[in-house]
Amino acid sequence: QEALELALEFAQRAGDRRAEAEVLGLMALLLVWGPMPLSRALAQSERLAARAGGHRKVEAEVLLVQGVLEGMAGRTDEGRELARRGRAILRDLGQALSEAATSHGAGMIEFIAGDYETAERIWRQGFEVLRRMGEKAYLSTSAALVAHALCRQGRYEEAEGFIRASEAAADPGDIASQVTWRSGKALVLARNGRIEEALQLLDDAILLSEPTSYLDTTAETLVIRAEIRMEAGDSPGAAQDLRQAIDLAERKEYAPVVEQARAALELTGS
């Protein structure tokens, strides 16, 4: 955060509006992916919106971030409307790549709410646009997200193709993609009775995610590992994962995951 503030100051002093907009956009994204609790992140997003200074693309990015934050707080309708407004601005600006990339956040709002069909539709649309553009950085995440939506609908065979696409496109340093395709593949492997392989993949995913500031991603991955451990009859291991997920999600104020993990913890008998 301090580095970004310094970069913003330099951009403003130099009168570099493009660099200023890029830094403000990164600062907005950190509100979702960083460790800041949702209540503080939403307040900070309002301050970022005030600093946008006529940058319509930044305004759109902040609206998207606010939408995701509202979705993570369990306020789905508010999140949807904010995301819709943000993506509409990008569409008006002719920012096709940015609009496709923001399908990640827009679909996340639906996925958190349990509307897996709508999440799949949004993520697929983004994936197809990115595929036609030949873009890979965002596409690798899009493909992994589509796979998760398909798995939650019981369409595991279809999910496999998207997992392969994500694995092939993901840069080794792209932690979000690397973690998400692994957790998606683990769901498919577990469905096919390959529990040990699934758990190994999830161990790898959590090792990648834990050192980062992605409290939400780590919590979500722990919940998936707990789910598979329960299927394997390892209730104590599942309970341990769920307690850790609850701790991380509470720190982020990620209410739906807290509720999901607590409900699952009751099933472990712990």
Side-chain angles (χ1 to χ4, degrees):
Q1 186 67 38
E2 289 180 8
L4 287 174
E5 288 286 356
L6 188 59
L8 182 61
E9 183 180 344
F10 284 144
Q12 290 171 335
R13 284 182 179 178
D16 189 337
R17 297 275 289 168
R18 183 174 179 179
E20 182 183 2
E22 288 178 357
V23 174
L24 287 167
L26 286 171
M27 291 171 78
L29 286 174
L30 272 180
L31 299 179
V32 173
W33 304 119
M36 187 180 291
L38 296 185
S39 55
R40 284 179 54 204
L42 280 164
Q44 182 67 19
S45 73
E46 294 292 344
R47 289 190 283 274
L48 277 180
R51 297 170 74 179
H55 289 292
R56 292 199 71 213
K57 186 170 182 285
V58 175
E59 179 188 346
E61 290 167 341
V62 171
L63 284 168
L64 238 299
V65 162
Q66 289 174 330
V68 175
L69 293 171
E70 292 286 1
M72 291 173 71
R75 296 186 287 269
T76 305
D77 290 341
E78 293 90 334
R80 284 175 180 146
E81 177 57 21
L82 288 162
R84 184 199 64 76
R85 287 169 52 198
R87 301 191 82 201
I89 292 172
L90 293 173
R91 197 173 306 121
D92 290 345
L93 293 173
Q95 296 276 345
L97 174 58
S98 293
E99 185 186 355
T102 58
S103 66
H104 296 173
M108 184 178 172
I109 295 165
E110 304 298 338
F111 191 87
I112 292 168
D115 188 346
Y116 304 127
E117 290 183 8
T118 302
E120 178 204 343
R121 175 177 56 78
I122 293 171
W123 285 334
R124 269 187 189 267
Q125 288 172 348
F127 173 85
E128 289 301 329
V129 172
L130 295 167
R131 184 182 60 79
R132 289 195 296 269
M133 288 181 169
E135 198 282 339
K136 288 189 176 181
Y138 293 119
L139 179 138
S140 60
T141 305
S142 292
L145 291 171
V146 173
H148 274 266
L150 291 169
C151 285
R152 292 309 179 188
Q153 295 174 74
R155 293 155 60 192
Y156 294 94
E157 288 186 14
E158 196 175 347
E160 289 186 67
F162 284 95
I163 291 164
R164 286 193 295 271
S166 177
E167 186 175 0
D171 185 273
D174 182 352
I175 300 300
S177 292
Q178 293 290 345
V179 170
T180 308
W181 76 250
R182 281 175 169 81
S183 56
K185 187 171 183 177
L187 289 169
V188 173
L189 289 170
R191 173 68 175 183
N192 294 331
R194 296 161 65 180
I195 299 294
E196 288 187 14
E197 292 173 70
L199 289 173
Q200 182 59 61
L201 263 183
L202 287 165
D203 290 347
D204 295 343
I206 290 165
L207 281 174
L208 286 170
S209 187
E210 277 185 328
T212 73
S213 60
Y214 301 162
L215 301 186
D216 55 334
T217 301
T218 307
E220 290 161 354
T221 309
L222 284 162
V223 170
I224 292 172
R225 189 169 70 178
E227 177 184 331
I228 294 173
R229 280 179 162 171
M230 279 289 287
E231 291 176 11
D234 181 11
S235 294
Q240 181 178 348
D241 281 345
L242 291 166
R243 290 191 188 96
Q244 188 178 350
I246 290 166
D247 175 63
L248 294 174
E250 284 182 335
R251 283 161 55 190
K252 185 66 182 176
E253 298 177 357
Y254 191 178
V257 168
V258 172
E259 293 170 10
Q260 179 189 9
R262 282 179 176 162
L265 185 59
E266 287 187 15
L267 297 177
T268 68
S270 299

